[in-house]
Amino acid sequence: MRFVLRSIMGFGLFAVMVCAIGYGVYHLHAAATAPQETRSRPPAERSFLANTATFEDVTVTPEITAYGQIRSWRTLQLRASSDGQLVEMSERFRDGAQVKAGDVLLRIDPAEATSRLLDARANLSDARSDKDEAEEAIVAAERELEATRKQVELRKQALERQRQLMDKGYSTMALVEQEQLSVAAIEQALNNRLQSVLSARKRIERSDFALKRAEVALKDAERILAETTVTAPFDGILDTVGVTLGRRVSPNEELANLIDPTALEVRFSVSTEQFSRLLGSDGQLLPQPVRVILTLGERRIIAEGLLERVAAVVGEGEAGRTLFASLDVGTDTVFRPGDFVTVEIEEPALSQVAVVPVSAATEDGRLLVVGADNRLEEIQARVLRRRGDELIVAGVPFGREYVRERLPQLGSGIRIERRQPAGAAAPVAQAPGAPSTAEGEMVRLEPERRAALLAQLAASAMPDDRKARLIEALNQPEVSRALVERIEARAGRRG
């Protein structure tokens, strides 16, 4: 009986084995004879989510950022004009003090200057007296000359009468010779009077010169006396004050510097390329507006200015150009000569350009644009300026969409799903075999639903890397509807 049962069980197992072998042979034969397209189905094409924007034709005013130093183009050195002791000093004659035009800053002992002034006035009086005396002397000399000329005429007439009488026999030769001697003597006296007149005229000329010298000496003495009082010629701030009350100063000694706080300019350097952007069509520097920024801790002091001129020479070992810009500031400005500041210069406006993020282009200016069937195409743009996190480009197709963030998985020919909401997060890269978060419609989840999905993923047994990608996708503001439905369907099957 036991033998029969074992035989029946053996035949049953053998029959099951034969059926299994036959079933396998049948499926193997069916797979071998099936058409090629049935055996190898191509995988579905993947698409990636990408942030896109549209090229807009705009006009942009770029800025050049440089660093420079504040200078004053109106600085006066106050110097002592004479030797003496400082007898008076203003309370505002100190470093950093602001003074007004005409304020008395200090006085030098005027005793010596006053003495020189009195001597000059006395010399002027003497010169005027000498001139008056010379003018009176020439009047007397001219009268004496006129009287002598009359005497000469009379003597000549007397000589002529003696000659006539001698011809008639009424006079002698001795009397004629006596008259001739008288004429010669009076002519000699006439010559002396002429010499006296000439001397008187020369004396007047010398007295004129002496009077002019005395007047110049008087003006010089008055100037020296006035310069013993040092006043401020314009409104300014004092610097480098190096004297004290009671000290004796020497001529031309430097007392202080007076700086005009409204006459400020900034000196800064730009590269050769930046300098070329600031030139007009005639090659001359454009008067472009500038903005000077002084950083004081957390405060930023800003002053407006105007580009004015270029340095005369290029320093040894330097590149580019050194520029100067005048500042429009008042007397209460906090800018001081020597401040290191940031300078922002406005360039001429650029038209027919587009502004794109730096992440949208490669170093040589290649961008990805959206073509037909949402496939990417690569174009070459001309990068004009780099402005922070933005690029100013030209030569792009205005009106077409481009990819704002050029990710490694994006390239020419790749199909994308466009997303243009403001502030959207970057797309999540997907590994092979992971469910695509770019498939289907994007939806916004309610907080309760999002929390339930995240809890379901956390409790699942899927690999950690895949679980992390799906959790990151669910934390985005918008999530693929297909992904949400697959997760919820898996939860339903488990339930």
Side-chain angles (χ1 to χ4, degrees), residues 443-450 453 474 476-479 484 488:
V443 296
R444 290 183 177 272
L445 298 177
E446 297 179 357
E448 296 79 5
R449 189 179 182 185
R450 188 190 304 273
L453 294 173
L474 287 176
Q476 300 298 323
E478 292 185 354
V479 185
V484 175
E488 291 178 341

Side-chain angles (χ1 to χ4, degrees), residues 158-441:
L159 175 61
E160 185 63 26
R161 284 194 300 272
Q162 288 295 329
R163 286 177 177 175
Q164 292 176 359
L165 291 174
M166 188 184 67
D167 292 339
K168 293 179 179 181
Y170 295 108
S171 179
T172 61
M173 189 63 182
L175 293 176
V176 173
E177 290 178 352
Q178 185 178 357
E179 289 297 333
Q180 287 179 345
L181 290 174
S182 298
V183 171
I186 200 63
E187 287 180 348
Q188 180 65 34
L190 178 61
N191 291 333
N192 293 334
R193 296 292 181 269
L194 287 174
Q195 186 66 34
S196 298
V197 171
L198 293 176
S199 298
R201 290 176 179 175
K202 292 297 182 182
R203 183 181 177 184
I204 290 178
E205 292 180 0
R206 289 194 298 271
S207 63
D208 285 337
F209 293 147
L211 180 61
K212 290 179 180 179
R213 284 195 298 268
E215 290 175 350
V216 171
L218 178 61
K219 291 180 180 180
D220 188 53
E222 291 175 347
R223 177 184 58 80
I224 293 175
L225 179 61
E227 288 178 350
T228 57
T229 301
V230 180
T231 59
F234 54 83
D235 296 351
I237 301 175
L238 292 173
D239 180 48
T240 321
V241 175
V243 292
T244 56
L245 187 64
R247 174 183 168 182
R248 188 174 186 83
V249 296
S250 58
N252 204 35
E253 180 180 350
E254 183 177 352
L255 306 176
N257 291 330
L258 183 62
I259 301 173
D260 188 351
T262 62
L264 298 181
E265 63 182 11
V266 58
R267 180 182 185 272
F268 58 96
S269 298
V270 296
S271 64
T272 305
E273 180 182 358
Q274 292 172 337
F275 177 68
S276 65
R277 304 173 191 167
L278 301 175
L279 299 179
S281 57
D282 56 351
Q284 299 298 318
L285 185 67
L286 298 174
Q288 292 297 116
V290 302
R291 184 165 55 254
V292 177
I293 303 173
L294 174 63
T295 303
L296 300 176
E298 297 181 354
R299 298 192 59 182
R300 299 171 77 248
I301 311 300
I302 300 177
E304 303 294 332
L306 199 66
L307 203 58
E308 195 171 76
R309 65 188 188 279
V310 187
V313 297
V314 178
E316 184 177 356
E318 295 183 359
R321 290 294 186 272
T322 300
L323 305 181
F324 296 89
S326 59
L327 300 184
D328 185 12
V329 293
T331 55
D332 57 346
T333 179
V334 299
F335 287 90
R336 291 292 183 270
D339 282 336
F340 288 94
V341 294
T342 302
V343 185
E344 296 178 352
I345 312 103
E346 291 187 6
E347 298 183 26
L350 299 176
S351 57
Q352 295 184 350
V353 297
V355 180
V356 301
V358 173
S359 59
T362 60
E363 289 295 328
D364 56 353
R366 289 180 287 117
L367 294 95
L368 295 175
V369 298
V370 182
D373 196 22
N374 289 339
R375 295 189 182 277
L376 298 180
E377 300 174 3
E378 191 173 66
I379 63 171
Q380 179 68 50
R382 183 160 53 94
V383 179
L384 301 180
R385 302 287 189 276
R386 295 182 181 272
R387 188 176 62 180
D389 294 335
E390 295 178 335
L391 298 177
I392 302 176
V393 296
V396 296
F398 297 112
R400 292 189 61 180
E401 292 184 77
Y402 67 95
V403 176
R404 292 175 53 86
E405 299 175 1
R406 184 164 179 151
L407 300 176
Q409 64 268 26
L410 301 180
S412 181
I414 298 297
R415 186 176 180 180
I416 65 168
E417 293 290 339
R418 291 175 287 182
R419 184 171 67 179
Q420 292 183 310
V428 180
Q430 298 174 349
S436 174
T437 59
E439 295 176 357
E441 182 183 358

